[in-house]
Amino acid sequence: MPAYLPPGAPALVLAVPGSGDQVSADVAGALAVENPQVDVRLAYLGDGAEGVAKQLSEVGAEREKGALAAVVVPLVTGPYSRVYRTVREAVAQSGIVAIVTDPLGPHPLLAEALHIRLADKELARADRMRLFNIAAPVDGVIVATAGGEEAARAAETTAVLLAARLALPVVAASIDSAPSIGDAAERLRRIGASKLAVAPYVIGPEADMTKVATAAEAIGAGYADALGAHTHVVQLAASQFGGSLDDLF
C-alpha cells in the first residue's frame, strides 16, 4: 500500500455481496483506519448493477475525467461468478475507468485465518506442529466455500495449504452447489477420518451460514465461524488495492 497518494487518487471500492452487513463495515473501517490516505468506499451488490454503477459514477465525478477512478476489490475468497458479473456490469454502466481485482484467495494468509477460526472453536490446536502424543480434536477438515463449482475447485488450493498446517486431510466443498459438505464428508470417511470439522472459507456476506450449520450438524461435525473481518482479510484487500497501483504511484 503506498504511504502517500495524491489528491484524486483512485478510491478503494469494496464490492460486497448482499445489501449491508456488519462484517463488510468492519473491513472497510479497518482499511480506513490503517490507511488514512485511501478513500475507502462500500458498494453493496444487493443493489444490483445499476445501484453500484451509480455509486461508481459518483466516485468518478470526484476525479479527473479519463483517470483511473477506482480499484474495485470484490470481498470474496474465490471466483464467485455472480459477484464478478455484477461488478463488471456496474463498471461498464458507470463509464468510469476502474480496475477490478482478483479475489482475495487462494493465499497462505487465508489458510492461516481458517486455522485460527478452527482453533477458536477448539477444533484445531493453535500451534502448527502436530503433537502425536496428544489426541487431535478432529481427524479431517472440510473447507466450505460459496460461489458454485468453480469456487469450490479454486478452494482446493487453500485446502492443501490448510492440510499442511494441520497435518490432517482437508478437502474442499461448496455451500451452495456440488460437491456438497455431505459429499466431502463421505470422501474423508472413505480414507478413515471420522471426527470432522467444517471451516467456512467465506468472509460472511456471500454465504448463508445457517446452511453451513445445518450441513455440519447433518454429518455430525463441528464448525468454525466465517473468516469475517479477520486482520488477514483486511491485509489482503489492502494488498489487492496497492498492487493495482504499483505502476501508477
Side-chain angles (χ1 to χ4, degrees):
M1 181 71 76
Y4 167 78
L5 290 173
L12 190 171
V13 180
L14 286 175
V16 183
S19 301
D21 67 290
Q22 190 58 48
V23 169
S24 57
D26 289 344
V27 173
L31 282 167
V33 169
E34 295 175 12
N35 305 280
Q37 76 280 24
V38 179
D39 178 11
V40 179
R41 310 282 184 105
L42 278 171
Y44 290 107
L45 303 182
D47 297 333
E50 291 184 4
V52 177
K54 181 179 179 181
Q55 291 178 269
L56 293 176
S57 295
E58 292 170 357
V59 171
E62 299 172 8
R63 285 158 175 83
E64 183 178 345
K65 187 174 181 180
L68 178 64
V71 175
V72 183
V73 181
L75 199 60
V76 290
T77 58
Y80 201 139
S81 59
R82 180 165 54 83
V83 165
Y84 273 88
R85 183 167 57 250
T86 301
V87 168
R88 293 191 175 105
E89 287 176 2
V91 170
Q93 290 179 26
S94 72
I96 70 167
V97 179
I99 292 172
V100 179
T101 73
D102 291 336
L104 303 188
H107 197 281
L109 286 178
L110 292 181
E112 182 177 341
L114 289 175
H115 185 175
I116 292 168
R117 290 291 186 246
L118 286 166
D120 288 343
K121 294 292 187 179
E122 299 184 346
L123 296 169
R125 283 184 297 276
D127 62 278
R128 291 187 60 172
M129 298 302 294
R130 186 172 186 183
L131 306 178
F132 290 100
N133 61 333
I134 299 176
V138 299
D139 56 13
V141 176
I142 299 166
V143 169
T145 193
E149 294 183 30
E150 182 184 6
R153 286 193 299 271
E156 291 174 359
T157 300
T158 299
V160 170
L161 293 170
L162 184 59
R165 294 185 64 89
L166 300 177
L168 294 172
V170 180
V171 299
S174 176
I175 297 169
D176 49 22
S177 72
S180 68
I181 290 172
D183 294 335
E186 288 183 14
R187 181 178 168 191
L188 285 169
R189 286 176 176 141
R190 284 197 298 269
I191 60 173
S194 59
K195 297 181 292 183
L196 307 181
V198 178
Y201 184 45
V202 293
I203 295 164
E206 73 275 36
D208 182 351
M209 292 301 294
T210 61
K211 289 184 178 180
V212 175
T214 300
E217 290 165 3
I219 61 172
Y223 58 95
D225 292 333
L227 293 169
H230 191 280
T231 181
H232 290 347
V233 171
V234 176
Q235 183 178 345
L236 289 170
S239 178
Q240 291 284 29
F241 176 78
S244 299
L245 303 184
D246 279 346
D247 297 331
L248 298 178
F249 304 106

